[in-house]
């Protein structure tokens, strides 16, 4: 069968460096850091006392009090970003076939704050098992796409994708595949996470995965820097409206970019550590290039997973150098996690957004907080350190990798 073309017609974002799509993209271009001392709870006794939190977000600006109480923070982020993306897409819900409009959402953990609160409340009680009737519906990851479909009446494919930090890239890829195969005309997709909680910070501290540079939170996320010490936890989300090309053109939709291809693989190596040679990453990028019918030299920009961990950054660069050869030194690389922190299951969505806008706007967002070169990396590599670069970007590739060895790669290209 002939596969359908898939384009991106709407964007929404709620991030540590911007509470809507425009603010987020402008902050990326300016190189703004979203890291600051934690305000969600008292982190004074934790090894890490800072994170990239969403700032100035009041759910009562988006939901009535009763509705807000039924939603975990990650689901609130999902609904807010979906609202913005749908509005941006100018979809007329009275004219489209709602049975062919669906939602696939990504989250790695979901309602961790809800779970934390309910279990803490039970343990501090008198032994009587009393739980909020919304405990389970607030906690489960698939409630986010469920709420979006209920609000808008979308009756097409509806579920959540879960693959740790690769979750929302997996969600976008699934949405892309559903439209390609003719099973949907419109898909609302992306991801969100809200894990800046006692359990979230405590758990990652126990893994020794996060930076503990409490004196300098704004510069703690420093991918590819010699003195990087771990990732900075972030929260938020982003939403993309994917649409079948002819469906979008028929209604005169604005098109940001075209989804060109995708690739999925597993490291089959270790529970939390990447394969040192980046073998799974090589496979995912190779499959994506093949799916897009592109060659390595066609890629202008790679939005890397780039978490600012000592081993992860090296493994990904090893993969890029192996696959791209000499072209690795001609393309731009950057890690927007240097600004947003690591949104876990929401990372792929906010980074897909950055990749789409790099293609649409011809701007490479930077890798900020670079102070000292790491001799582990070839100096010929262009990490777009500290300052955005204006450059024609015809094709961008975005990588996300997750605990368990999950690898997901998405390629977007200029719409022509």
């Amino acid at each position: 069968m002939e596969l359908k073309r898939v384009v991106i017609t709407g964007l929404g974002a709620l991030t540590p460096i911007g509470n809507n799509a425009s603010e987020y993209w402008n902050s990326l271009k300016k190189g703004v850091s979203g890291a600051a001392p934690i305000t969600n709870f008292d982190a004074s006794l934790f090894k890490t006392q800072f994170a990239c939190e969403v700032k100035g977000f009041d759910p009562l600006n988006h939901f009535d009090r009763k509705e807000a109480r039924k939603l975990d923070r990650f689901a609130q982020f999902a609904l807010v970003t979906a609202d913005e993306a749908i509005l941006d897409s100018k979809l007329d819900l009275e004219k489209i076939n709602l049975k062919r409009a669906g939602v696939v959402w990504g989250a790695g953990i979901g309602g961790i704050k809800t779970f934390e609160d309910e279990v803490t409340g039970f343990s501090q009680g008198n032994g009587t098992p009393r739980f909020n009737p919304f405990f389970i519906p607030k906690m489960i990851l698939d409630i986010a796409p469920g709420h979006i479909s209920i609000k808008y009446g979308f009756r097409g494919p509806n579920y959540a994708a879960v693959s740790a930090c690769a979750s929302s890239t997996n969600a976008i890829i699934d949405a892309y595949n559903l439209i390609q195969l003719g099973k949907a005309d419109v898909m609302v997709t992306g991801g969100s996470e809200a894990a800046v909680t006692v359990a979230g910070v405590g758990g990652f501290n126990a893994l020794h995965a996060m930076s503990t540079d409490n004196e300098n939170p704004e510069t703690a996320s420093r991918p590819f820097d010699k003195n990087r010490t771990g990732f900075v936890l972030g929260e938020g989300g982003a939403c993309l409206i994917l649409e079948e090309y002819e469906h979008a053109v028929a209604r005169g939709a604005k098109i940001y970019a075209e989804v060109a291809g995708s690739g999925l693989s597993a490291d089959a190596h270790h529970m939390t550590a990447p394969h040192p040679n980046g073998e799974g990453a090589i496979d995912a990028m190779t499959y994506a290039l093949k799916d897009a019918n592109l060659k390595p030299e066609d890629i202008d920009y790679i939005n890397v997973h780039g978490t600012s961990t000592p081993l992860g950054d090296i493994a990904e660069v090893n993969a890029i150098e192996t696959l791209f050869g000499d072209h690795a030194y001609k393309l731009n690389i950057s890690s927007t996690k240097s600004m947003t922190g690591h949104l876990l299951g929401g990372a792929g969505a906010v980074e897909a957004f950055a990749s789409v806008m790099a293609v649409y706007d011809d701007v490479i967002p930077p890798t900020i907080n670079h102070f000292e070169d790491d001799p582990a990396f070839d100096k010929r590599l262009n990490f777009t350190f500290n300052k955005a670069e204006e450059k024609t970007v015809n094709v961008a590739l975005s990588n996300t990798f997750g605990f368990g060895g999950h690898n997901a790669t998405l390629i977007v290209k200029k719409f022509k």
Side-chain angles (χ1 to χ4, degrees):
M1 64 178 291
E2 184 178 351
L3 296 176
K4 306 288 187 180
R5 292 176 67 185
V6 181
V7 294
I8 299 153
T9 58
L11 296 170
L14 179 56
T15 77
I17 59 172
N19 287 20
N20 57 52
S22 177
E23 287 181 4
Y24 173 48
W25 178 233
N26 286 331
S27 292
L28 283 178
K29 291 188 289 184
K30 292 175 183 177
V32 174
S33 171
I38 290 171
T39 62
N40 286 356
F41 65 94
D42 181 3
S44 60
L45 296 179
F46 286 75
K47 295 177 182 177
T48 297
Q49 299 168 11
F50 62 95
C52 288
E53 295 173 315
V54 170
K55 298 161 186 70
F57 174 74
D58 183 351
L60 297 183
N61 290 332
H62 304 276
F63 314 99
D64 64 41
R65 192 173 299 277
K66 185 177 180 180
E67 186 181 12
R69 291 177 61 191
K70 297 178 182 179
L71 298 167
D72 186 89
R73 190 171 169 91
F74 98 97
Q76 294 173 356
F77 293 163
L79 279 160
V80 170
T81 58
D83 287 348
E84 183 183 15
I86 292 167
L87 183 64
D88 183 44
S89 73
K90 294 181 171 59
L91 279 168
D92 187 336
L93 301 184
E94 294 184 357
K95 292 184 178 180
I96 68 171
N97 184 349
L98 295 176
K99 291 184 179 181
R100 291 185 56 79
V103 189
V104 185
W105 203 257
I109 300 177
I112 187 171
K113 184 63 165 63
T114 295
F115 187 89
E116 185 181 296
D117 288 347
E118 292 296 318
V119 172
T120 299
F122 170 70
S123 68
Q124 293 174 348
N126 59 10
T128 302
R130 293 180 179 176
F131 289 88
N132 188 311
F134 295 106
F135 172 27
I136 301 303
K138 284 177 68 175
M139 179 191 70
I140 54 178
L141 284 73
D142 61 293
I143 204 67
H147 276 300
I148 295 168
S149 70
I150 291 166
K151 180 171 183 177
Y152 290 101
F154 298 139
R155 296 176 62 189
N158 186 278
Y159 59 94
V162 185
S163 52
C165 302
S167 296
S168 50
T169 303
N170 265 116
I172 295 167
I173 290 170
D174 281 5
Y176 161 62
N177 287 337
L178 286 164
I179 296 174
Q180 267 201 317
L181 293 171
K183 297 186 177 184
D185 298 324
V186 177
M187 293 297 299
V188 179
T189 187
S192 57
E193 203 79 271
V196 184
T197 72
V198 169
V201 173
F204 282 114
N205 268 164
L207 277 172
H208 302 286
M210 292 196 300
S211 171
T212 57
D213 189 3
N214 296 310
E215 299 300 315
N216 305 286
E218 298 87 353
T219 59
S221 182
R222 49 180 69 181
F224 312 111
D225 188 87
K226 181 181 178 181
N227 298 308
R228 65 192 183 279
T229 57
F231 76 83
V232 176
L233 186 60
E235 64 173 4
C239 180
L240 290 74
I241 306 300
L242 304 193
E243 194 167 347
E244 192 272 322
Y245 161 72
E246 292 183 359
H247 187 275
V249 170
R251 67 179 189 85
K254 174 183 179 179
I255 295 175
Y256 285 97
E258 182 171 357
V259 183
S262 66
L264 300 167
S265 73
D267 281 352
H269 171 69
H270 189 272
M271 184 167 61
T272 57
H275 191 286
N277 297 327
E279 290 187 2
I282 292 169
D283 289 342
M285 290 187 285
T286 300
Y287 299 151
L289 287 167
K290 183 177 181 180
D291 187 40
N293 195 27
L294 295 171
K295 299 176 181 177
E297 53 267 31
D298 294 322
I299 302 298
D300 300 302
Y301 167 53
I302 300 179
N303 186 299
V304 291
H305 188 56
T307 57
S308 186
T309 56
L311 296 180
D313 289 4
I314 290 174
E316 185 170 10
V317 168
N318 285 343
I320 290 169
E321 289 184 305
T322 299
L323 178 59
F324 287 86
D326 288 341
H327 186 63
Y329 312 115
K330 300 175 184 177
L331 52 77
N332 282 70
I333 295 167
S334 77
S335 171
T336 47
K337 286 186 180 74
S338 60
M339 294 175 274
T340 65
H342 192 350
L343 271 65
L344 307 179
V350 297
E351 291 157 19
F353 178 116
S355 301
V356 168
M357 288 305 298
V359 165
Y360 184 74
D361 224 13
D362 286 325
V363 176
I364 309 289
T367 304
I368 67 167
N369 299 328
H370 178 71
F371 304 101
E372 188 172 354
D373 290 343
D374 186 337
F377 303 119
D378 194 311
K379 288 187 176 181
R380 292 176 294 173
L381 290 163
N382 182 3
F383 290 107
T384 324
F385 282 134
N386 297 325
K387 186 178 179 181
E389 182 178 330
E390 293 186 4
K391 172 184 176 179
T392 300
V393 184
N394 290 310
V395 186
L397 180 152
S398 181
N399 282 331
T400 43
F401 312 133
F403 281 179
H406 312 297
N407 306 300
T409 297
L410 184 73
I411 297 177
V412 295
K413 67 181 181 180
K414 272 198 193 313
F415 171 69
K416 298 179 181 178

